[in-house]
Amino acid sequence: MSRRRRMALRVGLPAVAVVVAFTISLVAALSSSAAPAQPSARPTLPLHPQPAPIRVVSTQLYSPFTGEPVRALKPVLAVKIDNIVTARPQTGLQSADIVYVEPVEGGLTRFMAVFSSRVPTTVGPVRSARESDLYLLPQFGRPAFAWSGATPHLVPFIERAHIADLYALQVNGYYRISSRVAPENLYANPRTLLKEAPNASKARDIGFRFGAQPAGGRATGSYTVKYPAATYTFRWSAKAKRWLVWMDGAPGTATEGGQLGGATVIIQDVYIGKSRFEEYGGLPPLARSIGSGTAVILRNGRAYTVHWSRPGLNSGTTFTLPGGKRMLFAPGQVWVVLAPESPASYVNAARV
């Protein structure tokens, strides 16, 4: 090999290396521009504002008379119903919110059934009013009151009372049935009666409280209340969850089926004096449900001795336990038995 050729090779080797290095750099640059680098993190997008949590408030209504759920508070209808032997079995009592037991002449009793939550198609037999009714009705506001009559001197007092008057001789809704004889054959359609009393007041607080069973009380399977010519026995039925009633030794039945009785029974000891208004040649008993006294309340197989207080005609009645807490009733129908606080207070009236 010639000297000139060897010199060319010595000079050309670095140039070739440079060319190769340049080529590699160019390829790398072209490769990097063809595939740009991905961003390290995605940009944060603005979030839609979240609505504040909605607080659900219960709007469930409960009857102030039974403690059971109701869709609305409805007008109050009170009906006088007979309870002598020939008037049994009665109709409509199973639908009542409250059943009051009132003493009447001859040592007997009569019912005042209060309807609001449920209104039956028939109720009866409807009978006459007594002065004791004028003590009970004002607590309901201006209730509709269905009655068949009264002693002549009492009638004007009832008609002037703060009630929606449903006297049988003046409004629609009453009729006679052929299967019974007068006066135990007068019946009424409560729905028609309420149409005759469009301004009757709706159910309101009359002092009842409902809730969990209080501690205390005494286990009681039955409880008996005696009047001079009538006897009531309430027996606890765990199956029915009610105090079933026996009247004068026989089960108190209803024409619509089943045995009468309530989830809560109040035996309210009251002073029973004499009415001012004569009935059948004598003065009938007057149950004074205003004031205070003792009562026995039956619920869930137990009996509680409590204090009752009602300061005035327009007030409800409060029932308190010995410690001062309000007595809580079992939800359901309530029976209120106006019983003599002492036998001596009933002597004169019993002789009528």
Side-chain angles (χ1 to χ4, degrees):
M1 178 181 296
S2 64
R3 182 181 177 189
R4 184 178 293 177
R5 188 174 182 181
R6 287 197 298 270
M7 289 296 293
L9 290 172
R10 288 174 182 173
V11 174
L13 283 173
V16 172
V18 170
V19 171
V20 171
F22 174 77
T23 303
I24 293 172
S25 299
L26 181 61
V27 171
L30 292 173
S31 299
S32 62
S33 63
Q38 297 295 322
S40 60
R42 292 183 178 180
T44 303
L45 298 176
L47 298 177
H48 294 290
Q50 296 296 316
I54 299 174
R55 183 179 180 183
V56 178
V57 179
S58 174
T59 57
Q60 178 64 64
L61 286 174
Y62 293 87
S63 166
F65 300 162
T66 67
E68 296 177 316
V70 292
R71 292 184 179 180
L73 298 180
K74 298 179 181 179
V76 178
L77 171 64
V79 185
K80 287 305 298 288
I81 299 178
D82 205 355
N83 191 33
I84 62 174
V85 174
T86 54
R88 303 171 188 165
Q90 293 89 349
T91 301
L93 288 176
Q94 296 282 52
S95 298
D97 289 346
I98 309 170
V99 177
Y100 285 94
V101 179
E102 301 178 39
V104 293
E105 59 280 354
L108 299 169
T109 62
R110 189 164 291 179
F111 297 136
M112 185 172 81
V114 178
F115 302 89
S116 182
S117 303
R118 296 176 295 170
V119 180
T121 57
T122 305
V123 65
V126 180
R127 285 302 307 273
S128 54
R130 294 292 183 271
E131 188 179 4
S132 296
D133 302 325
L134 297 179
Y135 281 76
L136 293 173
L137 291 169
Q139 65 184 318
F140 297 103
R142 186 179 181 269
F145 182 45
W147 52 299
S148 66
T151 187
H153 292 91
L154 177 59
V155 169
F157 288 86
I158 299 174
E159 292 178 333
R160 290 196 298 265
H162 191 59
I163 60 171
D165 187 7
L166 296 177
Y167 185 15
L169 297 180
Q170 297 178 343
V171 300
N172 296 317
Y174 295 92
Y175 57 92
R176 301 276 181 182
I177 63 173
S178 59
S179 58
R180 293 189 177 184
V181 297
E184 281 82 41
N185 64 347
L186 181 65
Y187 285 71
N189 183 328
R191 299 175 188 181
T192 302
L193 292 178
L194 285 171
K195 291 179 181 179
E196 295 279 336
N199 297 321
S201 57
K202 296 181 180 180
R204 68 180 195 178
D205 182 11
I206 60 167
F208 293 177
R209 294 294 181 269
F210 300 85
Q213 182 167 3
R218 61 186 184 278
T220 303
S222 66
Y223 195 97
T224 298
V225 180
K226 292 184 178 181
Y227 294 87
T231 301
Y232 289 80
T233 297
F234 297 92
R235 296 175 182 169
W236 171 246
S237 170
K239 181 179 179 180
K241 297 182 180 180
R242 294 188 303 138
W243 294 88
L244 303 180
V245 62
W246 273 254
M247 295 182 291
D248 303 325
T253 58
T255 59
E256 59 266 40
Q259 187 169 352
L260 300 174
T264 302
V265 178
I266 303 170
I267 294 93
Q268 185 176 345
D269 295 334
V270 299
Y271 176 77
I272 299 179
K274 292 185 292 184
S275 173
R276 298 170 291 166
F277 305 101
E278 185 178 293
E279 289 280 352
Y280 303 108
L283 298 178
L286 169 62
R288 298 184 181 274
S289 53
I290 296 174
S292 62
T294 59
V296 173
I297 296 183
L298 308 176
R299 71 158 291 179
N300 298 89
R302 303 190 74 82
Y304 298 81
T305 300
V306 302
H307 176 80
W308 69 267
S309 176
R310 186 180 173 209
L313 280 173
N314 297 319
S315 304
T317 306
T318 58
F319 299 89
T320 53
L321 293 161
K325 291 184 178 180
R326 296 288 283 272
M327 176 66 196
L328 301 180
F329 302 167
Q333 188 182 77
V334 178
W335 280 55
V336 183
V337 183
L338 300 179
E341 62 181 6
S342 69
S345 71
Y346 209 130
V347 171
N348 292 332
R351 292 175 180 171
V352 177

